[in-house]
Amino acid sequence: MLQPELKLRRDKIRSLMTLKDIDAALITCNANLIYTYGQVVSGYLYLPLHSPALLFFKRPNNIKGEHSFPIRKPEQIVDILKEQGLPLPPKLMLEGDELPYTEYVRLASLFPDAEIVNGTPIIRQARSVKTSVEIEMFRRSGIAHAKAYEQIPGIYREGMTDVELSIEIERLMRLQGCLGIFRVFGRSMEIFMGSVLTGNNAAYPSPYDFALGGQGLDPALPGGANGTPLKEGQSVMVDLGGNFNGYMGDMSRVFSVGKLSEEAYAAHQVCLDIQEKVSSMARPGAVCEDLYNAAVDMAEKTGFADKFMGIGQQAKFIGHGIGLEINEMPVIAPRMKQELEPGMVFALEPKIVIPEVGPVGIENSWVVTNEGVEKLTNCAEEIIELGK
Amino acid sequence: MLQPELKLRRDKIRSLMTLKDIDAALITCNANLIYTYGQVVSGYLYLPLHSPALLFFKRPNNIKGEHSFPIRKPEQIVDILKEQGLPLPPKLMLEGDELPYTEYVRLASLFPDAEIVNGTPIIRQARSVKTSVEIEMFRRSGIAHAKAYEQIPGIYREGMTDVELSIEIERLMRLQGCLGIFRVFGRSMEIFMGSVLTGNNAAYPSPYDFALGGQGLDPALPGGANGTPLKEGQSVMVDLGGNFNGYMGDMSRVFSVGKLSEEAYAAHQVCLDIQEKVSSMARPGAVCEDLYNAAVDMAEKTGFADKFMGIGQQAKFIGHGIGLEINEMPVIAPRMKQELEPGMVFALEPKIVIPEVGPVGIENSWVVTNEGVEKLTNCAEEIIELGK
């Protein structure tokens, strides 16, 4: 990562710190370190308002640089700040929504005279508007993601289960350069590389906060494919995370074994229409709840309200910000007054579950431009018959 | 999960709570919910000392049962406890090393009159001694893990990179039933399914706290394979997590392209000898640091001290407890006075990195029995030549 890009990102955080009179940030969670330092390290980036950031690192042991200091434990940070002639911050922010309680308390205790505040919302706000470098990384990952999905029809074999198909798609994604790891914010989501859902498994309620559920293979990971054989007349939705360079691109496509019911094709078209409608509304200043309400309104008018975003347990969002984590700001959901801004990147995923058939719908990643939105994940959107 | 098994696990935690005068635990982190409730839920298990556990759940919405209560937010927990005629706990434990700071504070505020303590060490201590059901799950996962590894020589193709080999091994693991997800405790480790290391990449220092490092494919995930072509005369170490049922089995095996240097074979034999020595010492009452010191002593006497557990950046452990997470108690490391107990399960991984060749050594998972240890991951331990 080039220094001007890192400086830009750090200054985005600093601007928001200024608004809250925060003098410095101590950053140590991996996604935030990738954002502000360009790579994962075991250590801490100390980001003061008015002087360059300092890195205090434990591992790897081969880091060099003017502002980098090896440490064994965080208690050394304050001494080094003093040695460097830097003032201790009257008001310091820590990653309160991300750091474990005992670690937060330990870090706070290093600055006994400082007011300590939760910096996670500020960093998430800064991260929600992507730089042009980040948008270009999404663009590249969208191309790789699409290349993997385009090969899916060719790997299907009659008699496969959803899990077997998922394994071959995971391999396609990895061969395109997917890092595999699926980063999420918070504890409400946990998944391997993504989900492949067919038939009634798509309606199985899951503990996780994804658009659709699935039973999974084990109570230790109750989400996604569960070993259901792929059957004539059923749909398969592929929704794998596209992490090719740290940025979590998101894309879903639907396949079929043979032909589906007319209702399924109609529902799929409704989802495409919702995507068309919402993406035409999405531009700087558009309010997230308005986008959500427009989608729900179309699902209601077409008679699919009770199957929209699941059956029985329905997800209460149609889209979500993406970035270094799969669930960033903004969220396209009820009561979300947030307005879109140029540079925001989000996944839009209107989906409908048809009993005895499976899931239909679409998901793409989009970036907000000055005038509207640009699609980052481009490949065929119709339901593609497997093995044809 | 059968109720008697869950009762046994909960009572193990309760026994340790009694020693600290703790009246109740509120458990919400996934690994601890799998342990005490048998599956991941979005919710909270309230575990009082003297009455049955209550589940407060948000998702999935299809949970039934006498002691299960649907909630929308944790603030409802206290009202329900009162409705059930249960006393509020004078001393309550929360998962302080695992819960994010703001979430811990929110949960603590529900019980304003209670003394709140960190329950993570207690739960980790309970989890460190496995039940017979858990040991049987490890035994089964060891068999599946070995079945996948046995197929590795057959998937090798000349000209492959470490990443390409890794992708095919990941597929073998998934086809054997591996859930894929790699659960760790804390923030010091992050990995996809595991690592495949060849040549000098094995010596690349990583920010993560694994036995060996590797550069990885991207600064966003700097560990493991980095795209190095597999070359004649180099070794490849395969170390993937064996999560087939929630329990993280751990096993490493070494392969070669052609023949390796004599030094490499000698170093491999030293690792096997260390494994033999340490496993013969390991029994109830054995002290972890003694096992560690015995291993380092053998590495020194054979002249491999500077290459043992890495070059340049050397890992300071030779083994670690495994369970629902890859890094449980006990840790076989310097200054660890902890004694082994029957039912503890650990991975032992003496490894040596040979410059210009790559990593050699061995890793198996072991359970402590009444008399000694039993190996849970059984397959050939010599260096196997790929493509032969």
Side-chain angles (χ1 to χ4, degrees), chain A residues 43-206:
Chain A
Y44 308 84
L45 190 81
Y46 180 78
L47 182 69
L49 256 194
H50 300 298
S51 58
L54 309 184
L55 182 76
F56 301 93
F57 66 96
K58 291 187 275 190
R59 279 187 307 264
N61 63 5
N62 61 346
I63 292 177
K64 309 276 179 229
E66 190 187 356
H67 300 298
S68 302
F69 303 87
I71 59 169
R72 293 179 317 283
K73 51 184 186 175
E75 282 69 19
Q76 297 169 260
I77 292 173
V78 171
D79 288 341
I80 297 174
L81 290 178
K82 288 178 182 164
E83 285 164 25
Q84 295 293 310
L86 290 168
L88 295 187
K91 192 170 175 181
L92 173 75
M93 71 183 204
L94 298 175
E95 297 151 301
D97 295 333
E98 296 151 282
L99 279 177
Y101 172 79
T102 50
E103 199 173 345
Y104 183 100
V105 169
R106 178 178 178 181
L107 293 178
S109 74
L110 306 183
F111 300 87
D113 299 326
E115 179 189 354
I116 310 289
V117 296
N118 178 10
T120 297
I122 283 176
I123 301 175
R124 275 171 69 79
Q125 189 181 341
R127 280 172 44 192
S128 72
V129 176
K130 273 64 182 174
T131 67
S132 56
V133 168
E134 291 181 285
I135 292 165
E136 187 54 33
M137 289 169 86
F138 266 118
R139 228 176 246 124
R140 289 206 305 268
S141 82
I143 292 168
H145 205 151
K147 271 192 189 160
Y149 277 25
E150 281 161 1
Q151 298 172 61
I152 291 173
I155 56 168
Y156 170 75
R157 300 183 309 272
E158 220 181 288
M160 266 183 157
T161 66
D162 54 0
V163 173
E164 288 164 345
L165 180 65
S166 183
I167 292 169
E168 301 307 329
I169 302 170
E170 293 159 14
R171 178 175 173 275
L172 292 178
M173 291 287 283
R174 291 279 286 147
L175 287 171
Q176 286 297 328
C178 182
L179 304 177
I181 203 162
F182 195 108
R183 285 203 181 90
V184 300
F185 173 77
R187 305 191 304 110
S188 64
M189 298 163 96
E190 198 184 36
I191 200 168
F192 176 50
M193 287 183 73
S195 80
V196 171
L197 294 170
T198 190
N200 286 338
N201 186 44
Y204 199 97
S206 154

Side-chain angles (χ1 to χ4, degrees), chain A residues 270-291:
Chain A
V270 167
C271 292
L272 293 176
D273 293 346
I274 290 174
Q275 171 180 263
E276 176 66 26
K277 172 73 177 172
V278 172
S279 62
S280 74
M281 292 170 68
R283 64 174 65 89
V287 177
C288 288
E289 70 167 354
D290 293 345
L291 304 183

